[in-house]
Amino acid sequence: MSTTDVIDDTSHIPAELLPVMEALALVGRSLCRTIKRGPLGGSLGAGVGENLGGDQQKALDVMADDAFAEELKSTAVRYYASEEQDDVVELNPDGRFALAIDPLDGSSNIDVNVSIGTIFSIFEAKNGDPDGSFLRPADEQLAGGYIIYGPQTYIVVTFGNGVQSYIYDPDTNAWKLVETAHKVPPQASEFAINASNYRHWSPAIRAYIDDMLAGETGPHERNFNMRWVASLVAETHRIMSRGGIFLYPGDERKGYERGRLRMVYECAPIAFLIEQAGGKATDGHDRIMTQQARELHARTPFVFGSAEKVARVAAYQDLPTDEVNALFGNRGLFRA
């Protein structure tokens, strides 16, 4: 693997993780070019099967998974856990790291030219314990981040000491460091949730959203805009840039009791990033960073964004149902 000029400034990357990050950057660079070619690169959005979680796999999902696994074989990644693989794969028997990845997040948006991405998390591998290397508290992550393929292509990553951003420069074919202390803006007037599921939510979540929709006449006394991209990376990047809150709660539908997002390779790395950027990330009640999955593809409800907004959701959620119903009979827990 040639790593010359892949990342132009590596001073913020731990030396032991540099080859892994360069491998991710190499594949991200290649995927960026493939995605930009659209139909010229083949039927990237064609369905090719179904993964263990029941989601349809697109051609680009499988292509990205194969590319990351192949490139990471020559690094110190021993165990590789992917959304597109049923089980953990051993890449390098002598490696010391375990890498979890959603190779292509938001693949349903491939054909409509909406931002999509890659999400990754790195742990220290547990010798001889593939599953145990990932089924552990999220706060044991060594790194967490994402690559977003959009109008600009970025790697946004934390190693536990703040958040750095690298932008892909097509003129030099290198990733350039552009931010060393990324912060989630504390105030914003945007929230992201799939409102079509309103009737399935718990009373507390419905009440919270009702109060947002009430705008300046409600308890928040300000108007809000709703956003929903259906790409976790795109939602995260917007919140990292402009603040706000993202909610994917569990609901009453069969199979959605724990939401739809996976703990190991989606929620844990995003929670790590958001907290390192000064925001909060919870399951609606408790910090994601204190939790661990019981199985590789386990799901969890997920709420993250500007700290005050996430804390407000927990306040709604923590009330007994009968109190929520009584308080919201006259609109709004936090009305003066």
Side-chain angles (χ1 to χ4, degrees):
M1 178 180 67
S2 173
T3 59
T4 305
D5 297 327
V6 176
I7 303 173
D8 76 332
D9 183 343
T10 61
S11 60
H12 293 271
I13 302 174
E16 65 274 16
L17 290 175
L18 181 56
V20 178
M21 288 304 302
E22 288 178 323
L24 293 170
L26 277 169
V27 178
R29 187 171 70 183
S30 176
L31 285 174
C32 173
R33 292 195 294 266
T34 299
I35 292 165
K36 286 185 182 298
R37 295 193 72 222
L40 301 177
S43 300
L44 303 179
V48 296
E50 192 174 272
N51 61 28
L52 188 65
D55 296 330
Q56 186 183 52
Q57 291 176 308
K58 307 292 188 179
L60 189 58
D61 286 316
V62 177
M63 183 189 305
D65 185 46
D66 290 344
F68 280 115
E70 184 63 31
E71 195 65 49
L72 288 163
K73 284 180 181 177
S74 58
T75 73
V77 172
R78 179 168 185 176
Y79 298 126
Y80 177 84
S82 168
E83 180 182 23
E84 308 308 328
Q85 302 281 346
D86 292 353
D87 302 304
V88 175
V89 176
E90 186 172 59
L91 297 183
N92 179 357
D94 298 319
R96 60 172 289 196
F97 301 116
L99 186 140
I101 193 166
D102 181 350
L104 213 290
D105 170 71
S107 57
S108 62
N109 288 317
I110 293 170
D111 288 339
V112 294
N113 204 23
V114 171
S115 294
I116 53 182
T118 297
I119 308 173
F120 60 89
S121 173
I122 304 173
F123 292 91
E124 195 85 36
K126 292 184 177 181
N127 187 35
D129 190 0
D131 288 349
S133 295
F134 300 100
L135 305 183
R136 60 205 295 184
D139 62 8
E140 294 182 10
Q141 291 176 95
L142 301 178
Y146 63 82
I147 307 172
I148 183 168
Y149 313 105
Q152 299 93 40
T153 300
Y154 282 89
I155 296 175
V156 182
V157 62
T158 182
F159 302 100
N161 186 27
V163 176
Q164 295 86 53
S165 298
Y166 301 81
I167 191 170
Y168 172 62
D169 182 352
D171 292 336
T172 64
N173 209 28
W175 296 88
K176 295 191 173 181
L177 181 66
V178 292
E179 178 63 70
T180 60
H182 210 134
K183 293 294 183 184
V184 174
Q187 299 294 329
S189 296
E190 294 179 340
F191 66 97
I193 194 167
N194 186 349
S196 68
N197 296 322
Y198 179 93
R199 67 194 183 280
H200 302 296
W201 298 335
S202 69
I205 292 295
R206 289 201 303 269
Y208 177 80
I209 297 302
D210 284 346
D211 279 350
M212 301 283 269
L213 295 175
E216 60 186 9
T217 66
H220 297 284
E221 298 181 336
R222 62 189 300 186
N223 294 322
F224 292 87
N225 291 318
M226 187 176 72
R227 302 285 185 256
W228 185 251
V229 184
S231 165
L232 180 58
V233 165
E235 306 282 8
T236 303
H237 198 71
R238 186 187 61 251
I239 286 173
M240 291 289 290
S241 303
R242 300 202 308 229
I245 187 170
F246 169 95
L247 304 95
Y248 204 128
D251 63 43
E252 295 177 346
R253 292 172 295 164
K254 184 177 180 180
Y256 285 79
E257 297 86 355
R258 297 286 299 165
R260 292 294 290 177
L261 298 175
R262 280 74 168 192
M263 176 68 176
V264 171
Y265 43 78
E266 291 178 320
C267 301
I270 296 301
F272 193 15
L273 269 178
I274 291 293
E275 286 203 359
Q276 285 292 314
K280 287 184 179 293
T282 74
D283 62 2
H285 298 271
D286 304 314
R287 288 179 65 218
I288 291 291
M289 290 296 287
T290 64
Q291 301 180 41
Q292 67 184 71
R294 295 184 178 181
E295 56 186 26
L296 188 61
H297 300 285
R299 305 178 192 274
T300 182
F302 198 28
V303 177
F304 70 87
S306 300
E308 183 274 334
K309 286 183 168 51
V310 176
R312 182 69 62 92
V313 172
Y316 279 71
Q317 292 267 61
D318 288 340
L319 283 173
T321 301
D322 56 345
E323 291 188 31
V324 172
N325 291 335
L327 285 166
F328 288 100
N330 294 314
R331 286 252 18 92
L333 170 61
F334 295 97
R335 183 181 296 281

